[in-house]
Amino acid sequence: MVWRERRWPRWVALGVVLLLVAPVLAAGIALRVHYAGDPAPGTQTRGRDAFWLGHAWVDGRKGDADVTALTARVRDTGIRDLYVHTGPLEHDGTLDATLYPRADWFVKAVHRALPGVRVQAWLGDKLATETPDGMRLERPDTRAAVVRSARQILDVGFDGAHFDLEPLHSGDRDYLGLLDDLREVTRDRDVPLSVAAHQIDPLPSLHSVGGALANHPKWWSQSFFAEVARRVDQIAVMSYDTAMPLESLYGGYVAQQTALGLEVTPASTDLLMGLPFYYDDTFGHRGSAETVAAAVRGVRLGLSRTDRDRERFGVALYVDFAARERDWAAYRADWSK
């Protein structure tokens, strides 16, 4: 009895460790499996890629020489849409017109230099979902103001509206209602409505666990992702800042995210997977792991296994002011060739 009593705490500790480690180990193995194999032939750009651009293009800091350099980067790639930061929106949903004095110049300059490339206004704000400060979509007046802001930027001449509202919790019905209202505006103007989307639950109901433990669900359920995708013309998954420690795990995660998105995105909607055109080294983003090469390979593997002939599909490059030569080289070599 004494021998058992002395060893009982050790068995309990071992059991606890196994309960904690086993799921993590299993998830890691699953992601590594997702990264295995070879992408199918033809799983490269469909000419529907996008590129997030910073605010300097519309506030006066950029000029003709910068447009020339941008043209050289974008020409002969699969990039069709430029999401240029034009906000941010105020918390009440309004948009300060003094934020984009050079918008008309930029749109016209891109149309001259890159025929066929669309310039969409990138609008966003912090939502009051996890802190008291931010936009409150539950307020009808706020949603109505966001719709007016969309009309405002389209009146300037933008070719579409791209929205990034964060942190946006899965199942937000007010957000879905806002998209319905925005879609009426963009359809009347015959321009695309685009959104940046959270990642999809890699495990069932993982967003619920994250919400209960930390008030930060992070992921959307696959069913909510589908509801958003049905309401827009383009949905761009922010498939970065994953906390993955290795390239193989990150690439496997992107492959899984690509498959999950393809399963529920309507054929009439462009599904775009985000590429990390930036380097950071934090807990949430390990630059050595989250590489463009790993992301592109993951995208191609997910596409190969799920819907290899899908036409309304692409990647979205984030972001111009942090992009490095190696990011462009990987994009051109592995995707846009």
Side-chain angles (χ1 to χ4, degrees), residues 285-314:
H285 181 97
R286 299 301 300 272
S288 59
E290 294 196 23
T291 64
V292 174
V296 167
R297 176 174 166 79
V299 167
R300 294 187 63 199
L301 287 168
L303 182 63
S304 299
R305 296 168 183 150
T306 312
D307 191 358
R308 68 177 63 182
D309 296 321
R310 166 112 179 187
E311 282 301 315
R312 300 201 66 164
F313 183 85

Side-chain angles (χ1 to χ4, degrees), residues 110-267:
V110 169
H111 288 171
R112 286 193 301 269
L114 294 165
V117 172
R118 302 180 300 195
V119 184
Q120 299 193 42
W122 167 15
L123 302 175
D125 191 27
K126 172 188 173 184
L127 298 178
T129 49
E130 299 175 8
T131 63
D133 182 47
M135 180 183 290
R136 296 185 178 275
L137 291 181
E138 69 271 19
R139 296 176 177 173
D141 289 348
T142 298
R143 298 196 302 273
V146 174
V147 174
R148 289 195 299 272
S149 295
R151 292 195 183 95
Q152 180 179 324
I153 56 96
L154 294 179
D155 287 341
V156 174
F158 282 102
D159 302 311
H162 176 77
F163 285 88
D164 178 15
L165 302 173
E166 303 179 48
L168 182 61
H169 292 184
S170 185
D172 192 321
R173 306 306 301 183
D174 295 315
Y175 178 65
L176 297 180
L178 173 63
L179 293 180
D180 289 335
D181 294 338
L182 289 169
R183 191 69 180 277
E184 290 185 14
V185 174
T186 55
R187 278 180 171 171
D188 286 344
R189 306 290 186 99
D190 194 26
V191 297
L193 172 62
S194 174
V195 295
H198 288 242
Q199 297 156 28
I200 304 171
D201 271 348
L203 298 172
S205 299
L206 189 59
H207 71 280
S208 299
V209 176
L213 296 179
N215 191 35
H216 181 56
K218 181 177 176 68
W219 298 276
W220 287 353
S221 70
Q222 193 181 34
S223 60
F224 182 70
F225 187 95
E227 289 200 64
V228 174
R230 286 196 296 268
R231 288 168 164 83
V232 298
D233 300 293
Q234 294 177 325
I235 184 165
V237 184
M238 296 179 285
S239 41
Y240 35 77
D241 294 342
T242 66
M244 293 295 162
L246 301 172
E247 269 191 297
S248 59
L249 297 183
Y250 174 62
Y253 182 83
V254 173
Q256 182 194 45
Q257 288 290 306
T258 301
L260 290 170
L262 284 167
E263 288 171 359
V264 296
T265 301

